[in-house]
Amino acid sequence: MLRLPRTTLVLALLGAALVQPARSADLRPSLPPPPLPPEAVEVGTGWYLRADFTESFYDRPKDATLVDPANPVPPLTRLRLSHEGGYGGGVGYKINDWLRVDVTVDQRLRSSFSTYSSGSNFRTGYNVEAGQLDALTGLVNVYADLGTWWGLTPYIGGGVGFADKNFRRGYTQTTCILDSCDGVPGTGLRDSVKRPDRSVTTLAWALSGGVSYAIGGGFSVDASYRYVNLGRAKSGIDEFGYDTRLKDVTANEVRVGLRYMLTGGPDPVRY
């Protein structure tokens, strides 16, 4: 029988005693890691400003004169609004790579309005009705960005809001081809009848499509086409109880402007 020295036996027992607590500690469940601090939220991410110049090409408006059988009014013909420039701006928010919204306000400069009317179907005389029309719109717009190719980002969108139309400097000028066409002897021009200014606010809506190009520093050049329906417009009532009434005032608009991203926002999806 092998006998170990007493000193060796004591050292072996002490080593076993020291190893056992370490193994017991290894069997204890580990504590979960401390929670991560919340991510910082960047205030203002995705907001942008815009400024635009607009050229409005008006379609021919439609006559909205009220028909009164007891007091018939000759219908308006050859209605025309001249094309004019304008300016505007707004603030928007880029929600993600594909969707953004903005609120825009645009002022269109005074467009020259003219039309003709004749109770005799232009046989004995006719009237020229004229004035100036300007329009202010406020629209809430939604756009879908369609991706980015070579730095160009095409998009489509639509908006709805209000249009305030101001009809100014309206008048009616009568011309007699035959003598006494309006009850007054003679031919030629008669004195013009002025009509008071009047403002009308109605619903407006628009459809648009365009393309933007990032030029750096948060700026993007924006060029677009927009079809806008401005609703109705009318002049004040003159001393004879007549006015000019229009409906379906619409325009095809070309817009060029700048957008400035206030902070970072989603990166565009590039192809």
Side-chain angles (χ1 to χ4, degrees), residues 14-30:
L14 290 175
L18 293 174
V19 173
Q20 185 64 28
R23 290 180 178 178
S24 299
D26 293 340
L27 296 177
R28 295 175 184 173
S30 59

Side-chain angles (χ1 to χ4, degrees), residues 220-265:
S220 296
V221 178
D222 193 309
S224 65
Y225 159 82
R226 179 170 67 180
Y227 174 84
V228 59
N229 188 307
L230 303 171
R232 293 175 174 263
K234 58 184 175 181
S235 70
I237 300 174
D238 62 26
E239 57 186 287
F240 298 102
Y242 297 110
D243 60 2
T244 301
R245 301 192 180 200
L246 308 175
K247 63 180 179 181
D248 296 335
V249 179
T250 61
N252 297 278
E253 298 183 333
V254 178
R255 308 175 74 207
V256 178
L258 282 175
R259 295 207 312 260
Y260 175 67
M261 187 69 68
L262 295 177
T263 56

